[in-house]
Amino acid sequence: MRILAIDTSGLVGAVAIADGDIILAQFSIQYKTTHSEILMPMLDDMCRKVHLDLSTIDAIAVAKGPGSFTGLRIGAATAKGLALALDKPIIPVPTVDGIAYNLYGNEKVICPMMDARRNQVYTGLYTFVPKMPEGKSMERSFDMQIIHGQYAASLDDIIGEINSLGKAVILLGDGVPVYHDVLEKNLKVPYSIAPIHQNRQSAASVAALAAKMAGEGQLVSADEFAPDYLRMSQAEREAKEGSGEKKNAPGKSELKSPGIIRVRPMTAEDIDDAAALEKLNLGKEAWSRKQLLDAMTRDDTIYLVAEKAGRIVGLCGVQNISGDGEITNVSVAGDCRKEGVGYKMVKQLLERGHGLGIENYTLEVRGANAPAIRLYEKLGFKSEGVRPGFYEEPKDDAVIYWKRN
Amino acid sequence: MEINKNVEDDGVIFMSIKDKDQAECVKNTKENNGGDVTILAIESSCDETAAAVVRNGREVLSNIISSQIALHTIYGGVVPEIASRKHVEKMNGCIRAALSEAGLTLDDIDAVAVTYGPGLVGALLVGVSAAKAIAFAKNKPLIGVHHIEGHISANFIESKELEPPFVCLVVSGGHSHLVVVKDYGEYEIIGQTRDDAAGEAFDKVARAIGLGYPGGPKIDKAAREGNPDAFTFPQAKIGDAEYDFSFSGLKSSVLNYINQAKMQGQELDQCDVAASFQKAVVEVLASHAIKACKEYGYDKLAIAGGVASNTALRELLEKECKKNKISFFRPSPVLCTDNAAMIGAAAYFEYQKGVRFGLDMNAVPNLPLGDRERRYHANKN
């Protein structure tokens, strides 16, 4: 069986051709050039060097994910285009399984870790189990046993799992150098790190594992194949979080611990407290209960509250107007100012806003409101203009602030 | 023009666009192959996955569009990551449909063309990767096309008699350009926006008055019910560059008006705001375009891009062109949206000039229009 294999899931861009018992060719590059520029020329070059007639390929194997979203798509779109043109099936190889397959025959626990940012890794736990032959032969073959199939895990989770297995582990993948200090501090079992020639994605491993998968009938058509990202897009994730009220409910311990300020999405149950806070701070200009409820339930807004000892002490909100985030409200209870409530709250608002597709933020503030102006400037906002006499009671100018990216 | 629509399980709308000439073209496909150039074109720069087969730059043999617009509406705009993911899922289906409707296989194709910029980089990369893989596997020439040059070339499909030179007003969600098309594939930009694109202003104002996304068609519709003279919004003039546009001031002025009305508890007439805003945009666009034709001495004006399907803009330009004895060309609305037929049209003229791209072609999200650096044109010969 002839398999053309592609892996562009991480920093390594790699292609290989497996032809029955041998790897006919494999090219691999880990350099700063983009997969988009390198992948096809590399494939072209490889095929020329072995005088490959593309029509003799039986299937196209590709690392299906997880990995860099863009990298996965370059690999997937390329594999699908090739499979369409050559009328061949695709063998989708789980990326982490492919990396583990670098260490074929190793009976230790194998834990690949791909850096997924924010203290997360794409990982899994594997080991190889020898199959005893019948008769007297000394030859052994191995089955890859999946202890925990590939998943997106927090560093704490995977370290906990490794420790609970209580066995020596081999680590590999681009997440290992990134989180080495944390691993060193928290792993309670002997660990080693795979040598550089086995440590990263390998198209040859993808091809070898794909050959095995093909034997088990794990082939899909070119049209139906799509990468397995293991993560929703940020926008989908936040849309889901926004609607899941229960998930955001505070834990009991947090309610009881005084002094801790917790920022979370506003829910319908907060509306009365939030409206009261608005009224207290802004008087006539305050938003009504209904206005807040309307604004909060729109799909182009984010509303957050700050909670301290079970009490709503702050609220803020932003509306996305085609990429410009208009910060409509920022309010902090009088007795909780100078505690960083505003900073914590607005900072989170800006971060969450990116998920809504907001690139630039704008707001208006009373010219006389020095503490608020200090807060916005600390958060990177810059004054871009004034609307003279915009506010009433007392009369004041509105200063227009922008934070542009 | 006939559009067959099919809404798929995930909300994506699959469309096959056929015009009356198409059946005739397809019928003649096989017999008429001497000297003809048939191009498979792919487009994925934003939220539409599209594939088409075009012959000799003007005959559309098939035109397939898979539109994700319904998926992005809930987010109030296109989410790049979601768009890119959908492109991967839909691409093969679109290409297959385009080939089968044209009655051809990849072996009958002379070249593969693809939009390589400008646009969302993650979205562009899907089309670029697919096109490169197909060109490589079938050993066909590869041609990268500028998205806006594609929009301009939609006019060659619509108006078979149109030939350069002419002036083209390009207006879309990301672009507002006044371009002189000197020859096939030769463009000179004489004016462009200093800030927001016209379509961007449409989207933002639509959002602010509660019409939602996508703004262009929604404002167009609301404006028909409103009074265009209800308010006077400013039309910015750029002192040192008479053909440039600025829509940011206009947009802010509309947003300020809305905010003030809200603060004072006034009832807002959506339709009046929409009509007055639209009038301000359309008048600036039209006056610049007509002025350019007169001063540069061209008697042909074409429009292109998503905003080119705006009714008020079409009507005003038609009237002004008639008055000034300028022939007016405009693609039908379905050719104004993102599609691959227009990419196939633009690619044909590049193909004729001998332009061939290498397999190192990359997506260029901010690719400039016209006289750009030709370093991506690695000639295979």
Side-chain angles (χ1 to χ4, degrees):
Chain A
M1 186 171 194
R2 255 188 193 183
I3 294 172
L4 174 62
I6 298 171
D7 192 330
T8 50
S9 61
L11 294 169
V12 175
V15 287
I17 303 161
D19 188 9
D21 293 340
I22 61 160
I23 293 288
L24 199 58
Q26 62 171 319
F27 280 30
S28 176
I29 283 183
Q30 181 173 353
Y31 189 60
K32 59 195 171 192
T33 42
T34 66
H35 292 322
S36 177
E37 285 168 294
I38 287 297
L39 179 65
M40 285 310 300
M42 190 160 72
L43 185 58
D44 185 29
D45 199 15
M46 177 176 76
C47 291
R48 279 170 202 277
K49 290 213 159 59
V50 295
H51 307 135
L52 185 78
D53 173 0
L54 280 168
S55 66
T56 63
I57 293 281
D58 295 301
I60 291 149
V62 62
K64 72 163 184 176
S68 135
F69 292 168
T70 300
L72 291 176
R73 273 191 291 272
I74 290 171
T78 303
K80 285 173 71 120
L82 292 170
L84 172 97
L86 301 170
D87 196 19
K88 303 293 175 190
I90 288 178
I91 309 167
V93 176
T95 312
V96 183
D97 293 16
I99 300 172
Y101 215 69
N102 290 355
L103 300 180
Y104 176 87
N106 198 308
E107 294 175 59
K108 287 203 171 68
V109 174
I110 298 163
C111 179
M113 290 183 177
M114 300 166 67
D115 183 17
R117 310 267 163 91
R118 291 175 295 169
N119 281 316
Q120 295 229 330
V121 285
Y122 298 124
T123 186
L125 293 165
Y126 306 80
T127 191
F128 286 87
V129 183
K131 279 198 295 199
M132 291 302 157
E134 291 182 17
K136 288 184 181 166
S137 169
M138 291 304 288
E139 184 181 345
R140 300 281 178 273
S141 69
F142 289 85
D143 275 335
M144 183 163 81
Q145 189 194 332
I146 301 174
I147 304 167
H148 190 151
Q150 62 177 27
Y151 70 125
S154 72
L155 215 46
D156 290 348
D157 282 353
I158 187 65
I159 290 170
E161 258 201 76
I162 295 170
N163 286 340
S164 73
L165 288 174
K167 288 184 189 161
V169 63
I170 305 181
L171 306 175
L172 65 168
D174 59 22
V176 178
V178 178
Y179 300 116
H180 187 260
D181 291 351
V182 186
L183 293 163
E184 165 64 24
K185 213 172 123 192
N186 296 299
L187 279 177
K188 306 272 187 272
V189 294
Y191 72 91
S192 58
I193 296 168
I196 54 171
H197 68 286
Q198 292 177 318
N199 200 300
R200 293 289 192 274
Q201 285 90 335
S202 148
S205 293
V206 170
L209 184 51
K212 193 168 155 282
M213 289 171 65
E216 294 159 4
Q218 298 190 55
L219 301 121
V220 298
S221 76
D223 294 11
E224 71 185 293
F225 170 67
D228 197 350
Y229 303 93
L230 289 191
R231 264 187 184 171
M232 280 186 282
S233 69
Q234 197 177 353
E236 289 170 294
R237 213 159 55 224
E238 303 211 343
K240 208 171 178 183
E241 275 169 18
S243 61
E245 292 185 5
K246 274 280 171 264
K247 213 166 73 188
N248 295 316
K252 272 186 182 165
S253 60
E254 280 170 307
L255 278 177
K256 280 180 188 158
S257 50
I260 292 177
I261 292 154
R262 191 169 164 275
V263 177
R264 59 170 175 83
M266 190 190 286
T267 71
E269 286 151 29
D270 302 321
I271 289 294
D272 288 331
D273 292 348
L277 178 64
E278 275 272 300
K279 187 87 192 153
L280 206 63
N281 280 347
L282 298 169
K284 269 192 175 170
E285 284 166 11
W287 282 28
S288 68
R289 199 181 166 282
K290 183 171 182 311
Q291 277 174 312
L292 277 172
L293 193 64
D294 286 349
M296 185 198 85
T297 49
R298 291 174 62 120
D299 57 22
D300 59 344
T301 62
I302 298 173
Y303 273 77
L304 302 178
V305 292
E307 193 178 67
K308 186 179 167 187
R311 176 185 153 220
I312 304 294
V313 296
L315 73 99
C316 62
V318 65
Q319 182 180 3
N320 179 12
I321 301 177
S322 299
D324 288 345
E326 194 179 328
I327 297 183
T328 44
N329 314 61
V330 178
S331 226
V332 177
D335 59 329
C336 294
R337 291 182 189 152
K338 296 185 184 164
E339 290 180 21
V341 176
Y343 182 81
K344 202 169 168 181
M345 210 165 55
V346 179
K347 190 157 183 287
Q348 224 188 86
L349 188 69
L350 302 181
E351 285 164 8
R352 286 175 182 253
H354 285 298
L356 215 56
I358 297 175
E359 286 156 18
N360 307 310
Y361 290 89
T362 183
L363 57 83
E364 284 165 13
V365 59
R366 278 178 178 270
N369 191 348
I373 287 174
R374 269 200 304 278
L375 165 67
Y376 300 136
E377 288 181 347
K378 193 172 157 194
L379 284 160
F381 281 81
K382 292 198 167 51
S383 161
E384 290 196 8
V386 172
R387 292 185 218 290
F390 185 75
Y391 290 107
E392 306 284 339
E393 296 182 28
K395 193 106 181 145
D396 197 353
D397 298 343
V399 187
I400 305 163
Y401 273 85
W402 277 92
K403 181 180 166 70
R404 297 185 191 271
N405 287 321
Chain B
M1 197 75 68
E2 181 195 331
I3 304 175
N4 291 318
K5 273 192 193 183
N6 179 28
V7 181
E8 299 180 353
D9 293 345
D10 55 4
V12 170
I13 304 164
F14 185 89
M15 287 178 277
S16 165
I17 296 115
K18 289 180 185 161
D19 65 18
K20 51 184 187 310
D21 303 336
Q22 188 173 318
E24 203 55 32
C25 291
V26 172
K27 213 175 77 191
N28 298 334
T29 299
K30 295 280 182 185
E31 21 196 288
N32 205 2
N33 212 4
D36 283 341
V37 177
T38 309
I39 292 179
L40 169 69
I42 294 170
E43 149 73 37
S44 69
S45 63
C46 190
D47 62 342
E48 255 115 21
T49 322
V53 179
V54 179
R55 194 168 59 198
N56 299 334
R58 298 203 189 238
E59 294 166 48
V60 179
L61 303 185
S62 62
N63 189 11
I64 307 292
I65 302 173
S66 171
S67 169
Q68 311 168 6
I69 195 146
L71 308 186
H72 299 280
T73 305
I74 53 166
Y75 301 100
V78 176
V79 181
E81 179 60 26
I82 295 177
S84 310
R85 288 184 179 198
K86 278 293 161 196
H87 286 316
V88 176
E89 292 172 29
K90 302 294 174 187
M91 185 58 76
N92 279 27
C94 288
I95 295 170
R96 252 184 235 284
L99 289 167
S100 90
E101 291 211 352
L104 298 174
T105 69
L106 283 172
D107 296 318
D108 306 315
I109 295 294
D110 295 303
V112 181
V114 64
T115 308
Y116 74 112
L120 302 168
V121 65
L124 288 165
L125 278 170
V126 176
V128 166
S129 301
K132 289 199 292 187
I134 293 168
F136 165 72
K138 285 290 176 186
N139 199 20
K140 304 283 181 186
L142 176 69
I143 300 164
V145 174
H146 188 287
H147 180 73
I148 295 303
E149 296 175 9
H151 272 301
I152 295 172
S153 304
N155 283 289
F156 296 133
I157 298 171
E158 187 77 39
S159 311
K160 314 286 184 214
E161 72 283 13
L162 175 64
E163 286 185 4
F166 59 91
V167 173
C168 189
L169 173 66
V170 186
V171 270
S172 73
H175 304 268
S176 304
H177 283 105
L178 206 47
V179 181
V180 175
V181 182
K182 294 170 153 176
D183 198 349
Y184 292 111
E186 270 184 49
Y187 308 89
E188 185 193 344
I189 301 171
I190 57 172
Q192 56 192 305
T193 183
R194 293 294 181 91
D195 36 59
D196 290 354
E200 219 175 335
F202 269 92
D203 276 343
K204 289 187 182 176
V205 169
R207 202 105 189 84
I209 58 178
L211 289 173
Y213 174 85
K218 295 209 164 157
I219 292 225
D220 194 351
K221 196 168 166 223
R224 279 176 230 163
E225 312 289 319
N227 173 11
D229 300 311
F231 313 101
T232 312
F233 294 122
Q235 299 179 6
K237 297 263 187 296
I238 311 285
D240 56 339
E242 52 185 340
Y243 295 113
D244 278 0
F245 304 103
S246 165
F247 295 109
S248 163
L250 168 60
K251 176 200 71 191
S252 299
S253 147
V254 176
L255 296 186
N256 283 345
Y257 169 77
I258 296 164
N259 277 342
Q260 253 162 27
K262 256 189 213 161
M263 294 285 267
Q264 292 161 8
Q266 285 171 4
E267 196 67 31
L268 194 73
D269 190 321
Q270 275 185 339
C271 298
D272 283 353
V273 177
S276 305
F277 160 74
Q278 178 174 279
K279 185 185 174 202
V281 175
V282 162
E283 281 184 353
V284 165
L285 292 172
S287 68
H288 280 34
I290 299 289
K291 191 170 166 201
C293 287
K294 289 206 286 201
E295 291 197 4
Y296 281 76
Y298 294 112
D299 59 358
K300 284 181 272 189
L301 173 67
I303 53 173
V307 182
S309 57
N310 179 281
T311 338
L313 180 63
R314 284 172 176 247
E315 282 168 6
L316 183 60
L317 280 174
E318 220 146 286
K319 200 177 85 190
E320 290 297 314
C321 282
K322 209 169 185 180
K323 207 161 81 187
N324 292 286
K325 299 198 166 49
I326 297 166
S327 317
F328 179 50
F329 298 89
R330 49 174 188 64
S332 51
V334 72
L335 284 174
C336 289
T337 60
D338 287 355
N339 66 82
M342 67 185 199
I343 302 303
Y348 169 74
F349 299 105
E350 299 282 300
Y351 180 91
Q352 293 298 69
K353 289 198 294 187
V355 171
R356 303 289 185 271
F357 278 54
L359 289 173
D360 60 346
M361 178 208 277
N362 203 354
V364 186
N366 52 0
L367 186 68
L369 178 73
D371 195 24
R372 60 186 172 271
E373 206 184 332
R374 297 271 163 175
R375 75 187 169 95
Y376 296 98
H377 296 195
N379 203 316
K380 269 187 175 173
N381 308 322

